[in-house]
């Protein structure tokens, strides 16, 4: 058992001490529940974040948040109700308990409900990193803008620098009493240049925990992409199927849907790309996706216990393209597996900013490959290099079908050389097909971290683009 | 006078004093207390699977110093914690000020002292939970039409109240209570690997209005559930929407609402000025196009209207204390107006904000958000519109959407479609989809149905901002006929 104390993630000198308040709330709610012989689960949460947004080369919004909240779930036999509240003090806790109790007693029985999960052995791990304070974030923004302005006068930078810390403790009448904490930081820089009716865009973003990234290099890369992609320089490629290298930002965009689309409800309702396919080869055998919530070096959305207090595990989500598990909460494990303890420890916690209770693997890490992104590009015969996607949405969940657009850098590559930037394209493609057997040529060794994934570049035989996003003529 | 259970005015005064007196160079400050109380109920296949409530309450303090904003919030409602938040807000503003090239200057707004609330016939907080659950269970059961291809029969109810008290250093004292109610049924049918979903009255958890519980009662979910169920099954056997580059399509309000929503994000002035470039996106509606661009055909008139009774985006004051307004954005097809805030209006030479800045909670800064985006009804009878269409389609109820960051290049999918041949509806069409370029699309509109076909819909989950905010927005339209549309983009 690790000696790490998750409470140390909160910089109390900077942000105050939430732990007395959290303990008060837990004590009150559990006492009330036990007195009435309900099953109860209390989540006591402290979230601290500082977000500095900038646009047109200056800070536009700068917020500093420090919140304490509670979630209470009560179960009586086959009845269940829950609520969350940020109202503190005995008045607030009393109101929360009475509200949930009232809903509980009026709720019909849920036939498959089996109650709260049992505790499982699990240890804490140190998931903390640097606390990026507001003055340092402002300084980073100034250095990014200065870097960009050295490259070109007519540059408009926008982006975000943020620091986020989440601590939560889960206590239940079934013997669960666990706590977890993590912090992470984020930097994104978006560059725009060129005339009003033909601007170029570039963007670089990443999440980090330990070492501040090279902000100036990120600004330089984003600015260069913007310079490359002004309207007057763009080549036009027709819609169609192309060999592509998807950069890490583009891969992370698709990973969001690979994860969101793998939920238990969709699986059992035949409305997921995973339906009837557990244990099947869904993706190319070059693709191994690990779920790594306990490794702060592999995952940003890291936690040692999920929002039900179940210990998380590092495990394969896809091993050589084969689907290894479906994520369950205890509620849906009761419904679909007839066993509440089939819960897998994937219920989303407050670090996501909502209390939906959904279960999904959000700490994904694609195993690196054997060549760099530059080497991959050198191997492209005639295709496209996609830096990132924009506004991706499911068209058909059952097929893994998505649509979206390229943005912030699309390049034509021929015989291993970048020929120039290309007008943005819309894709309509299934990620099952895109990452399917035989379609992955290579996976890069270099990777980048995003909130829910740690991903490389991926070189694909084929990716379908359904239309040109727009041309200047279409506006006239 | 205040709405019930408002924050103690002494605490508001304390917070405002703490915000304004800590430095003599503070240019402006406001204190926003918000309480959000919400309930969500979800029933699937006759069982209650979601029965939750959420209560958030706290104070956000915003300070303008050195031409820069700083914002800090807390839900610890003690004077100590509020004092700390005020100090942090100033510290944040000072840090921001080190980066400012163009200091913020706020548009003038008269001082308002007012207490307002959404008119309700039935307060949702007075309704017994068991009554609502019974309606949802009955609706879920009514969707069981005896076809085992129907895998999921869902019914949902949501309501929330946003109670805001806003005090500004200029003297405004606003107490505003907004109530929202909504609900839906939807059915998922499966045959092999094919899935079809059909929702009523709208998709993605249904339709919402600023109203009391009467809005949910009037939905008649139980009566409409079997119709939705039958359509979801019928769609499994329907003709696949064909690929065609020049189709005539009549788009119904339950899809057009999202078309309006996605396109008119481009009329949020902060986007047009690149303030949202790194997250929500920019806009093709650049300032030099105001008054110049023919956005749509001359039949197209679209307003941003925060005063429309019952609209999901209806309120009395925005979260900067600006009174709600109704203003044109497109007039006879021409682009004539943006949605603005006190910070952005002066950047366009406007004397006043048109009051569209809202925040989702106490711990968020207000951003420009859509209010009610309303396409004014035309003069076509809807049936006549169909009868005079020789060869076309009707598309209804959104199922998927995607649009580029300029709000130009879009692609939508709908739950259901019908084919029109020689003025008659001939058959169902499944997996309808269409794509286009915004001004080309709207300029192809050649018929707008009249007020008899007009319908308001609300989307409760529009995302913007970092940290993220989810806002509720309203949209109104009648059916519109568009020509030369590329359809059938998604073929499965």
């Amino acid at each position: 058992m690790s000696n790490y104390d998750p409470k140390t993630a909160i910089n109390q000198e900077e942000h105050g001490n939430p732990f007395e308040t959290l303990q008060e709330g837990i004590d009150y709610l559990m006492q009330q529940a036990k007195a009435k012989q309900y099953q109860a689960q209390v989540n006591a949460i402290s979230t601290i974040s500082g977000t500095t947004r900038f646009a047109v080369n200056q800070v536009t919004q700068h917020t500093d948040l420090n919140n304490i909240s509670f979630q209470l779930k009560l179960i009586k036999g086959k009845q269940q109700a829950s609520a969350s509240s940020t109202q503190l003090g005995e008045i607030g806790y009393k109101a929360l308990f009475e509200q949930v109790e009232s809903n509980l007693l009026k709720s019909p029985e849920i036939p498959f409900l089996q109650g709260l999960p049992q505790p499982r052995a699990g240890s804490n791990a140190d998931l903390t990193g640097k606390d990026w304070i507001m003055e340092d974030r402002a300084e980073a923004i100034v250095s990014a803008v200065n870097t960009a302005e050295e490259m070109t006068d007519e540059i408009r930078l926008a982006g975000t620098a943020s620091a986020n810390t989440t601590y939560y403790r889960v206590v239940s009448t079934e013997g669960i009493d666990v706590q977890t904490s993590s912090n992470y930081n984020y930097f994104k820089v978006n560059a725009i240049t060129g005339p009003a009716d033909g601007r170029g865009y570039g963007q670089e973003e990443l999440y980090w925990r330990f070492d501040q990234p090279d902000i100036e290099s990120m600004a330089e890369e984003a600015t260069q992409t913007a310079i490359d992609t002004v309207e007057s320089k763009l080549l036009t490629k027709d819609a169609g199927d192309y060999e592509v290298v998807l950069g890490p930002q583009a891969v992370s965009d698709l990973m969001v849907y690979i994860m969101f689309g793998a939920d238990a409800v969709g699986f059992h309702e035949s409305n997921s790309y995973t339906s009837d396919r557990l244990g099947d080869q869904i993706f190319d055998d070059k693709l191994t996706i690990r779920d790594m919530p306990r490794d702060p070096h592999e995952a940003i959305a890291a936690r040692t216990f999920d929002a039900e207090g179940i210990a998380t595990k590092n495990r394969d989500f896809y091993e050589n393209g084969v689907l290894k598990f479906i994520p369950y909460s205890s509620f849906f494990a009761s419904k679909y597996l007839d066993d509440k303890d089939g819960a897998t420890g994937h219920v989303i916690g407050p670090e996501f900013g909502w209390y939906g209770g959904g279960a999904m693997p959000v700490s994904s890490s694609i195993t690196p490959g054997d060549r760099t992104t530059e080497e991959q590009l050198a191997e492209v015969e005639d295709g496209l290099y996609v830096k990132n996607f924009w506004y991706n949405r499911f068209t058909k969940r059952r097929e893994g079908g998505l649509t979206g657009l390229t943005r912030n850098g699309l390049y034509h590559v021929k015989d291993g050389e970048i020929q120039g930037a290309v007008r943005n394209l819309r894709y309509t493609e299934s990620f099952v097909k895109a990452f399917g057997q035989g379609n992955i040529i290579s996976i890069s060794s270099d990777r980048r971290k995003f909130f829910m994934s740690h991903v490389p570049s991926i070189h694909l035989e084929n990716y379908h683009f359904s239309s040109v996003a727009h041309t200047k003529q279409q506006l006239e | 006078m205040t709405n019930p259970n408002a924050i103690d005015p002494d605490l508001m005064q304390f917070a405002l004093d703490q915000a304004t007196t800590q430095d003599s160079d503070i240019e402006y400050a406001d204190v926003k207390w918000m309480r959000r109380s919400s309930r969500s109920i979800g029933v699937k296949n006759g069982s209650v699977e979601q029965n939750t409530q959420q209560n958030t309450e706290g104070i956000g303090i915003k300070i303008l110093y050195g031409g820069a904003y700083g914002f800090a919030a807390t839900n610890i409602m003690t004077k100590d914690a509020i004092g700390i938040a005020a100090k942090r807000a100033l510290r944040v503003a000072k840090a921001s000020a080190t980066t400012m090239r163009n200091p913020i200057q706020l548009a003038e707004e008269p001082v308002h002292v007012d207490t307002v609330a959404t008119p309700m016939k039935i307060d949702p907080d007075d309704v017994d939970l068991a009554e609502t659950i019974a309606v949802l269970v009955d609706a879920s059961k009514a969707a069981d039409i005896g076809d085992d291809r129907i895998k999921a029969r869902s019914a949902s109810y949501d309501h929330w109240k946003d109670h805001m008290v806003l005090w500004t250093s200029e003297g405004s004292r606003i107490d505003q209570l907004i109530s929202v109610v909504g609900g839906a049924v939807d059915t998922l049918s499966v045959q092999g690997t094919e899935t079809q979903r059909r929702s009523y009255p709208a998709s993605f958890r249904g339709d919402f209005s600023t109203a009391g519980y009467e809005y949910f009662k009037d939905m008649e979910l139980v009566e409409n559930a079997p119709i939705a169920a039958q359509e979801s099954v019928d769609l499994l056997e329907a003709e696949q929407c064909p690929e065609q580059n020049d189709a005539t399509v009549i788009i119904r309000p339950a899809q057009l609402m999202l078309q309006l929503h996605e396109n008119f994000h481009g009329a949020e002035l902060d986007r047009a000025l690149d303030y949202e470039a790194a997250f929500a996106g920019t806009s093709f509606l650049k300032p030099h196009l105001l008054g110049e661009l023919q956005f749509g055909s001359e039949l197209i008139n679209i307003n941003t209207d925060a005063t429309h009774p019952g609209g999901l985006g209806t309120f009395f004051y925005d979260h900067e204390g600006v009174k709600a307004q109704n203003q044109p954005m497109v007039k006879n097809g021409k682009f004539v107006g943006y949605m603005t805030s006190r910070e952005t209006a002066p950047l366009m030479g406007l004397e006043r904000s048109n009051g569209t800045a809202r925040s989702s909670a106490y711990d968020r800064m207000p951003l420009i958000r859509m209010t009610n985006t309303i396409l004014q009804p035309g003069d076509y009878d809807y049936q006549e519109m169909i009868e005079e269409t020789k060869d076309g389609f009707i598309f209804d109820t959104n199922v998927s959407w995607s649009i580029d960051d300029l709000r130009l290049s879009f692609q939508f999918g709908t739950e259901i479609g019908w084919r029109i041949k020689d003025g008659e509806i001939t058959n169902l069409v499944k997996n309808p989809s269409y794509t286009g370029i915004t001004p080309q699309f709207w300029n192809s509109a050649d018929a707008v149905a009249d007020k008899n076909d007009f319908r308001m819909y609300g989307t409760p989950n529009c995302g913007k901002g970092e940290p993220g905010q989810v806002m509720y927005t309203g949209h109104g339209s009648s059916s519109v006929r568009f020509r030369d549309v590329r359809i059938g983009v998604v073929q499965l």
Side-chain angles (χ1 to χ4, degrees):
Chain A
M1 173 74 75
S2 160
N3 290 329
Y4 174 68
D5 181 358
K7 292 188 178 70
T8 58
I10 305 253
N11 180 341
Q12 294 188 36
E13 196 181 313
E14 180 79 2
H15 303 294
N17 178 350
F19 300 110
E20 274 183 32
T21 306
L22 293 176
Q23 187 67 56
E24 270 173 20
I26 290 169
D27 288 345
Y28 183 94
L29 294 167
M30 289 300 288
Q31 187 181 43
Q32 295 298 311
K34 284 174 179 170
K36 303 227 175 163
Q37 297 183 310
Y38 299 142
Q39 281 194 19
Q41 175 186 304
V42 176
N43 291 37
I45 304 151
S46 166
T47 50
I48 294 164
S49 72
T51 304
T52 314
R53 300 184 84 197
F54 59 105
V56 292
N57 303 340
Q58 62 185 28
V59 170
T60 51
Q61 280 164 20
H62 196 157
T63 60
D64 186 89
L65 310 178
N66 189 339
N67 293 323
I68 293 174
S69 60
F70 293 89
Q71 294 173 46
L72 172 66
K73 184 188 294 182
L74 294 178
I75 294 178
K76 181 184 177 200
K78 298 280 189 188
Q79 294 170 290
Q80 173 176 295
S82 65
S84 65
S85 176
T86 65
Q87 293 167 318
L88 306 177
E90 190 167 321
I91 294 176
Y93 311 142
K94 182 170 189 283
L96 176 60
F97 187 86
E98 287 176 354
Q99 186 178 73
V100 181
E101 183 180 38
S102 170
N103 293 340
L104 173 75
L105 298 177
K106 292 178 184 174
S107 187
E109 292 192 344
I110 303 170
F112 56 79
L113 187 66
Q114 296 180 359
L116 293 173
Q118 295 301 302
R120 292 182 210 174
S123 61
N124 276 309
D126 186 353
L127 305 175
T128 55
K130 184 180 168 76
D131 185 12
W132 202 19
I133 64 171
M134 63 178 86
E135 288 82 6
D136 292 346
R137 299 196 301 268
E139 198 179 296
I141 291 164
V142 170
S143 80
V145 171
N146 289 342
T147 299
E149 287 179 336
E150 281 168 16
M151 295 173 69
T152 171
D153 289 338
E154 298 211 355
I155 192 74
R156 294 162 80 99
L157 282 201
T160 306
S162 73
N164 306 274
T165 300
T166 305
Y167 165 93
Y168 61 90
R169 185 170 162 206
V170 184
V171 178
S172 82
T173 48
E174 306 317 289
I176 287 178
D177 188 348
V178 299
Q179 49 182 340
T180 184
S181 64
S182 74
N183 61 9
Y184 67 88
N185 304 300
Y186 174 59
F187 186 73
K188 170 171 57 181
V189 56
N190 174 284
I192 302 175
T193 193
D197 59 353
R199 304 192 304 181
Y201 290 73
Q203 180 166 298
E204 299 295 324
E205 64 171 323
L206 57 76
Y207 286 76
W208 58 281
R209 181 169 269 124
F210 300 109
D211 301 313
Q212 182 169 318
D214 186 342
I215 301 290
E216 282 149 15
S217 289
M218 290 177 71
E220 200 177 300
E221 177 79 20
T223 303
Q224 187 59 55
T225 306
I227 291 168
D228 291 344
T229 56
V230 295
E231 168 77 24
S232 57
K233 296 182 184 174
L234 292 178
L235 309 167
T236 299
K237 302 292 270 182
D238 292 334
D241 294 332
Y242 288 90
E243 177 189 2
V244 295
V245 172
L246 301 180
Q249 293 180 109
V251 173
S252 80
D253 291 330
L254 300 184
M255 278 295 298
V256 168
Y257 290 88
I258 289 173
M259 291 182 277
F260 275 159
D263 66 301
V265 174
F267 175 78
H268 287 280
E269 287 183 354
S270 299
N271 196 30
S272 166
Y273 75 96
T274 61
S275 295
D276 303 316
R277 303 204 69 187
L278 183 59
D280 282 4
Q281 180 101 37
I282 294 181
F283 296 131
D284 191 290
D285 59 26
K286 295 184 193 68
L287 190 63
T288 291
I289 304 173
R290 302 213 71 215
D291 180 40
M292 304 289 284
R294 302 186 73 85
D295 189 336
H297 295 276
E298 279 297 316
I300 292 294
R303 63 257 179 83
T304 46
F305 298 92
D306 79 346
E308 291 195 288
I310 294 173
T312 59
K313 289 196 293 193
N314 294 337
R315 69 184 97 177
D316 286 338
F317 179 30
Y318 282 89
E319 182 184 17
N320 300 123
V322 174
L323 175 63
K324 304 300 286 184
F325 73 85
I326 297 296
Y328 289 89
S329 63
S330 63
F331 184 83
F332 288 114
S334 302
K335 179 175 183 180
Y336 294 118
L337 305 178
D338 195 23
D339 176 13
K340 64 182 164 88
D341 291 308
T344 54
H346 285 99
V347 175
I348 291 172
E351 62 269 37
F352 278 77
W354 75 83
Y355 306 122
M360 58 191 78
V362 295
S363 315
S364 292
S365 169
I366 295 180
T367 302
D370 59 2
R371 63 203 73 183
T372 65
T373 304
E374 279 178 11
E375 287 167 345
Q376 288 177 307
L377 290 170
E379 291 171 0
V380 173
E381 288 182 16
D382 190 352
L384 298 172
Y385 173 39
V386 178
K387 292 202 76 177
N388 77 329
F389 289 127
W390 172 267
Y391 221 125
N392 310 287
R393 287 292 184 276
F394 274 119
T395 51
K396 269 298 191 183
R397 287 180 84 102
R398 186 68 171 86
E399 317 276 335
L402 295 176
T403 188
L405 300 110
T406 64
R407 190 200 187 215
N408 303 317
L410 177 67
Y411 294 90
H412 177 213
V413 185
K414 191 171 164 64
D415 298 324
E417 302 273 341
I418 289 182
Q419 304 299 303
V422 173
R423 199 175 300 286
N424 284 316
L425 293 168
R426 171 174 289 285
Y427 75 87
T428 303
E429 181 58 282
S430 153
F431 55 71
V432 172
K433 191 162 147 289
F435 292 156
Q437 184 65 37
N439 206 48
I440 293 182
I441 298 171
S442 70
I443 292 178
S444 75
S445 49
D446 42 303
R447 298 184 299 164
R448 187 183 291 191
K449 289 194 190 75
F450 299 90
F451 185 51
M452 295 198 292
S453 61
H454 187 185
V455 292
S457 300
I458 300 184
H459 184 181
L460 301 177
E461 291 277 0
N462 215 291
Y463 200 83
H464 181 67
F465 294 93
S466 46
S467 60
V468 179
H470 59 82
T471 65
K472 195 171 164 197
Q473 286 72 30
Q474 287 174 314
L475 297 176
E476 290 163 358
Chain B
M1 192 183 80
T2 63
N3 284 303
N5 303 313
I7 183 175
D8 180 351
D10 285 341
L11 210 51
M12 287 295 285
Q13 189 64 59
F14 175 83
L16 191 60
D17 289 342
Q18 289 289 300
T20 52
T21 59
Q22 55 187 318
D23 192 305
S24 57
D25 288 331
I26 289 171
E27 296 152 46
Y28 168 87
D30 67 41
V31 174
K32 179 188 72 192
W33 170 84
M34 270 182 81
R35 176 188 287 140
R36 153 78 65 103
S37 55
S38 65
R39 182 193 288 282
S40 295
I41 309 169
V43 169
K44 187 179 281 189
N45 299 348
S47 288
V48 175
E49 291 198 355
Q50 181 191 25
N51 180 8
T52 59
Q53 288 191 257
Q54 192 170 340
N55 310 282
T56 61
E57 176 184 356
I59 274 189
I61 298 174
K62 190 169 76 181
I63 289 175
L64 186 64
Y65 174 95
Y69 273 138
F71 180 84
T74 181
N75 68 310
I76 304 168
M77 302 293 287
T78 63
K79 287 187 174 179
D80 277 348
I82 291 170
I84 291 170
K87 288 187 174 56
R88 285 189 78 85
L90 180 60
R91 180 179 160 195
V92 168
K94 285 181 173 176
S96 305
T98 63
T99 73
M100 298 310 278
R101 308 275 182 95
N102 299 297
I104 294 168
Q105 294 186 319
L106 299 179
E108 299 280 327
E109 177 66 17
V111 167
H112 302 290
V113 178
D114 206 355
T115 298
V116 286
T118 299
M120 293 184 276
K121 291 186 186 143
I122 306 170
D123 187 333
D125 288 331
D126 293 341
V127 177
D128 194 306
L129 171 66
E131 176 184 326
T132 308
I133 287 177
V135 170
L136 297 179
V137 168
D138 286 348
S140 176
K141 287 180 178 169
D144 184 358
I145 55 171
D147 192 319
D148 62 8
R149 289 176 292 178
I150 300 176
K151 299 299 181 198
R153 299 169 275 111
S154 305
S156 61
Y157 167 84
D158 292 272
H159 88 242
W160 62 88
K161 287 183 178 173
D162 277 345
H163 188 176
M164 176 187 77
V165 173
L166 178 74
W167 286 24
T168 77
S169 57
E170 293 164 342
S172 283
R173 304 284 185 264
I174 296 165
D175 183 325
Q176 172 171 266
L177 180 62
I178 303 293
S179 169
V180 174
V181 171
V185 288
D186 83 75
T187 53
L188 175 72
S189 292
V190 179
Q191 182 162 269
T193 59
E194 169 145 18
T195 61
Q196 292 294 336
R197 188 180 290 280
R198 192 71 186 107
S199 315
Y200 170 84
S203 50
F204 299 106
R205 239 176 143 84
D207 187 27
F208 295 79
S209 177
T210 49
Y213 189 78
E214 63 277 3
Y215 192 76
F216 176 73
K217 287 184 82 157
D218 292 345
M219 276 186 183
E220 298 185 332
L221 294 184
V222 177
E223 292 80 353
N224 283 282
I227 301 171
Q230 187 62 56
E231 284 180 341
S232 75
V233 168
D234 292 344
L235 281 166
L236 292 172
E237 311 284 351
E239 172 198 348
Q240 165 67 33
C241 178
E243 289 184 73
Q244 197 174 322
N245 286 336
D246 57 357
T248 295
V249 185
I250 295 173
I251 299 183
R252 300 285 285 141
Q255 162 56 27
L256 204 57
M257 53 94 81
L258 202 66
Q259 180 83 52
L260 285 166
H261 181 91
E262 295 302 338
N263 288 156
F264 278 85
H265 274 309
E268 293 166 12
L269 184 53
D270 54 353
R271 290 183 196 241
L273 297 175
D274 295 338
Y275 279 40
E276 287 288 331
F279 186 76
T282 58
S283 171
F284 77 99
L285 293 171
K286 298 283 185 289
H288 70 276
L289 296 175
L290 191 66
E292 299 293 330
L293 176 71
Q294 194 65 29
F295 178 92
S297 76
E298 290 191 1
L299 302 174
I300 303 300
N301 294 279
I302 298 169
N303 281 27
T304 174
D305 182 4
T307 67
H308 190 94
L312 188 58
T314 297
F315 50 84
F316 304 90
Y317 297 90
D318 80 355
H319 295 190
E320 292 187 318
V322 178
K323 204 161 166 62
Q325 295 160 55
N326 175 10
Q327 290 194 352
M329 295 188 289
V330 174
K331 199 170 169 63
N332 300 325
K334 192 146 280 192
F335 169 53
V336 296
Y338 285 107
M339 290 169 265
T340 66
S341 64
R342 291 190 69 185
E343 178 186 347
T344 55
L347 299 172
M348 290 291 293
L350 298 168
E351 284 190 9
R352 192 178 175 219
S353 157
N354 62 8
T356 67
R358 289 188 289 162
S359 51
S360 61
Y362 68 90
D363 60 353
R364 297 291 190 264
M365 278 184 72
L367 302 173
I368 294 174
R369 309 309 299 264
M370 253 177 261
T371 59
N372 297 302
T373 302
I374 298 182
L375 170 65
Q376 307 304 317
D379 51 18
Y380 248 91
D381 176 78
Y382 175 61
Q383 285 307 319
E384 264 182 58
M385 193 190 284
I386 294 172
E387 284 161 12
E388 69 170 45
T389 300
K390 195 163 167 49
D391 183 8
F393 298 84
I394 300 169
F395 289 171
D396 196 3
T397 312
N398 180 266
V399 78
S400 78
W401 70 101
S402 172
I403 190 164
D404 75 350
D405 81 290
L406 290 170
R407 300 288 147 174
L408 257 185
S409 170
F410 60 80
Q411 181 167 304
F412 289 98
T414 66
E415 285 186 354
I416 192 167
W418 294 268
R419 195 183 264 274
I420 304 171
K421 280 273 186 215
D422 298 319
E424 289 194 2
I425 294 173
T426 55
N427 57 274
L428 268 186
V429 166
K430 69 182 174 189
N431 306 320
S433 59
Y434 68 101
T435 188
I437 304 293
T438 300
Q440 279 186 347
F441 179 76
W442 283 100
N443 272 286
S444 79
D446 74 349
V448 178
D450 62 23
K451 62 181 184 204
N452 295 319
D453 193 54
F454 181 85
R455 186 81 165 78
M456 287 293 293
Y457 283 99
T459 49
N461 51 5
C462 177
K464 188 174 179 180
E466 292 170 292
Q469 303 196 39
V470 173
M471 185 49 68
Y472 40 102
T473 61
H475 319 83
S477 77
S478 322
S479 302
V480 178
R481 186 172 63 201
F482 298 88
R483 302 283 189 183
D484 296 319
V485 181
R486 183 179 164 202
I487 67 169
V489 190
V490 178
Q491 293 292 324
L492 295 160

